[in-house]
C-alpha cells in the first residue's frame, strides 16, 4: 500500500511556498538553496536560515532521504505515521510515511517521496520505503 486512505485537506499555498506547491503538482519536491553558503533549507522562506542571505533559489530535490524520527498518531480517526525525514540534500522535513507496516519502520530507513492527493488542492509530499513500486 502506498496511498494513504485518509482524506487530506488541501494546503493553502502562501507567497513564500507557491513554488513548492507548484512543484508538488508536477510531482517534483522543491527545496530552497542559498547561493551565498550553498546549503539547502526547508521550510520555504526568503532568507537562508544558515547565513541569512536573501540570495535563495528553488531547485528540485532528489526526493530521497532517511527516517530521522517517527511516531504513529493513533488518536486520529484513521491512524497515520508522522515523521521527520532527513533529505539527501541535508534539511529535515516533517512529513507522513506511507506504505510501511508500523512494525517495519526503523530510524535510518531509506525513503523516497510520493505525492498524495488532497481534497481539491495540490498533492502533498509524503515518503514511502525506497525502491517501492
Amino acid at each position: 500500500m502506498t496511498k494513504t486512505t485518509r482524506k487530506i485537506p488541501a494546503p493553502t499555498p502562501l507567497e513564500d511556498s507557491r513554488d513548492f506547491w507548484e512543484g508538488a503538482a508536477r510531482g517534483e519536491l522543491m527545496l530552497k538553496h542559498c547561493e551565498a553558503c550553498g546549503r539547502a533549507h526547508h521550510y520555504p522562506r526568503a532568507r537562508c536560515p544558515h547565513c541569512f542571505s536573501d540570495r535563495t533559489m528553488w531547485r528540485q530535490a532528489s526526493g530521497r532521504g532517511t527516517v530521522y524520527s517517527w511516531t504513529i498518531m493513533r488518536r486520529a480517526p484513521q491512524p497515520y505515521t508522522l515523521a521527520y525525514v532527513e533529505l539527501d540534500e541535508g534539511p529535515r522535513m516533517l512529513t507522513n510515511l506511507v506504505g510501511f507496516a508500523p512494525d517495519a519502520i526503523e530510524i535510518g530507513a531509506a525513503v523516497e517521496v510520493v505525492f498524495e492527493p488532497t481534497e481539491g488542492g495540490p498533492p502533498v509530499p509524503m515518503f514511502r520505503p525506497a525502491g517501492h513500486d
Side-chain angles (χ1 to χ4, degrees):
M1 176 178 84
T2 61
K3 297 291 181 195
T4 183
T5 57
R6 66 188 170 90
K7 291 183 179 181
I8 302 168
T12 304
L14 303 174
E15 185 63 30
D16 286 348
S17 65
R18 184 181 56 225
D19 291 325
F20 177 84
W21 294 113
E22 287 175 357
R26 295 187 305 269
E28 300 172 351
L29 182 62
M30 302 299 289
L31 289 179
K32 277 289 195 103
H33 286 258
C34 179
E35 293 179 327
C37 72
R39 295 175 71 182
H41 60 272
H42 183 77
Y43 66 92
R45 51 195 162 222
R47 290 202 172 268
C48 173
H50 307 291
C51 72
F52 305 112
S53 171
D54 63 353
R55 294 180 21 220
T56 60
M57 61 182 287
W58 290 97
R59 290 189 194 158
Q60 185 176 350
S62 67
R64 294 184 304 271
T66 57
V67 175
Y68 178 78
S69 182
W70 60 276
T71 189
I72 297 174
M73 306 301 289
R74 296 183 194 279
R75 290 190 172 205
Q78 295 177 313
Y80 61 96
T81 304
L82 186 64
Y84 275 107
V85 167
E86 188 164 322
L87 301 172
D88 284 359
E89 292 79 7
R92 291 184 188 135
M93 182 178 187
L94 184 61
T95 186
N96 288 179
L97 298 180
V98 294
F100 279 93
D103 59 349
I105 302 170
E106 294 180 2
I107 291 174
V111 292
E112 61 190 12
V113 73
V114 62
F115 292 91
E116 296 289 336
T118 63
E119 295 182 313
V124 174
M126 297 185 183
F127 287 79
R128 66 182 180 190
H132 190 275
D133 292 326

